[in-house]
Amino acid sequence: MVVKYLDPWKDDLYGKLRGDKTDAYLKITFDEAQVHKTDDAYILAAFVTAYQGVVRNFKPENPLTPGLCAVPIYGQEYEIRQKDKDGNWTGVKYQPSKFEKALYENIQTHESLWIPEGQGIKGEITFMPDGMCANMDAPTLDGLVAANSQTNPVPLTGKLPAFTPPSGNAQRKSSGKSYGLSPDERIIFIKKQLCNDLASSGFTTENSLPLLIQQMINEHPMDNDLLTIYFDTITACAR
């Protein structure tokens, strides 16, 4: 599975990284971040300035730009919701990569360095695939983690909005599905997504839904298959 970037959704200002890191090489560089602990992971809520080995979930042909992103670092089995062959959403279990689990344990052991009181951190983390770590003993793997997770404390500038780690009953799962929304909230969700994805500026949720849909069609007059997939995806998310 390729590690993908999911755009911010609803009132959550942070994008998300989703995917199995066991066979992925990826690197993130950030100039300010805070680490948050959950039941099965640490989450790096960061202003990321550069990505390597990550693609957009929607419009993967577009480059990633600097911005807010939440990066999970798992220490045990976790679940990613995705569609099965019949198009139904289901939870698929994954194990953290060897490097990822060792990084989790490094953070756990050195929490005062990763979570400095009253400060943030800056630096870069390069996640290595299992193929590079398979035959490493624990000391060698620890050294690899230390060499590829360089961070330093920095003052908090206010660049990072408040971040709430996901809970077991959070509305937003990895699939982005809008659980528990009223009909009006679903319309707003669709409008927001259309406004984010339109190439033209100046459109807002105050515009009518038919106008936003027509504008999307106008911008992609020759892409009927793409539009069908796009609107099917939005419909599925809003159900």
Side-chain angles (χ1 to χ4, degrees):
M1 178 183 288
V2 176
V3 175
K4 295 182 178 182
Y5 170 86
L6 281 68
D7 290 302
W9 184 78
K10 290 192 69 181
D11 296 328
D12 188 349
L13 301 178
Y14 287 84
K16 301 288 183 290
L17 287 195
R18 184 188 72 180
D20 180 6
K21 303 184 187 74
T22 57
D23 60 355
Y25 172 93
L26 65 137
K27 180 178 180 179
I28 56 166
T29 304
F30 48 95
D31 64 6
E32 189 171 339
Q34 288 186 299
V35 175
H36 302 266
K37 188 173 184 178
T38 69
D39 291 341
D40 60 356
Y42 286 99
I43 298 179
L44 184 81
F47 191 92
V48 178
T49 56
Y51 300 86
Q52 293 182 32
V54 179
V55 299
R56 287 186 174 277
N57 187 55
F58 182 70
K59 293 187 177 181
E61 68 277 10
N62 290 349
L64 286 164
T65 55
L68 297 169
C69 186
V71 183
I73 301 165
Y74 291 102
Q76 55 186 287
E77 184 180 78
Y78 61 98
E79 180 180 290
I80 294 179
R81 288 181 60 81
Q82 58 194 66
K83 282 190 175 182
D84 61 21
K85 59 183 177 60
D86 298 318
N88 299 314
W89 289 106
T90 184
V92 179
K93 303 290 187 181
Y94 289 92
Q95 296 295 330
S97 72
K98 296 180 184 299
F99 182 94
E100 182 178 21
K101 185 174 182 179
L103 176 58
Y104 175 94
E105 293 171 352
N106 180 285
I107 298 173
Q108 192 174 47
T109 301
H110 304 288
E111 277 196 353
S112 62
L113 299 178
W114 284 91
I115 314 175
E117 186 174 357
Q119 292 183 293
I121 57 174
K122 67 175 295 184
E124 59 184 35
I125 301 175
T126 304
F127 292 85
M128 300 296 183
D130 280 2
M132 295 183 63
C133 309
N135 297 319
M136 290 184 178
D137 58 20
T140 304
L141 184 55
D142 289 344
L144 185 70
V145 167
N148 287 280
S149 56
Q150 301 291 324
T151 64
N152 292 296
V154 292
L156 292 170
T157 65
K159 180 185 291 187
L160 301 175
F163 177 79
T164 303
S167 62
N169 61 354
Q171 281 193 357
R172 184 182 184 186
K173 300 295 184 181
S174 297
S175 65
K177 192 172 177 66
S178 52
Y179 295 98
L181 299 183
S182 69
D184 287 342
E185 288 174 325
R186 290 173 184 173
I187 293 297
I188 293 297
F189 161 72
I190 293 172
K191 285 185 173 184
K192 283 184 177 180
Q193 191 61 53
L194 281 164
C195 290
N196 288 337
D197 296 333
L198 288 172
S200 303
S201 60
F203 290 92
T204 72
T205 55
E206 296 301 316
N207 295 119
S208 69
L209 184 57
L211 175 64
L212 296 174
I213 292 173
Q214 185 59 54
Q215 179 62 26
M216 178 62 73
I217 294 171
N218 291 343
E219 292 183 3
H220 301 276
M222 306 300 292
D223 295 328
N224 291 333
D225 290 342
L226 173 64
L227 288 172
T228 298
I229 295 171
Y230 174 77
F231 286 115
D232 284 350
T233 301
I234 286 186
T235 302
C237 290
R239 282 176 181 160

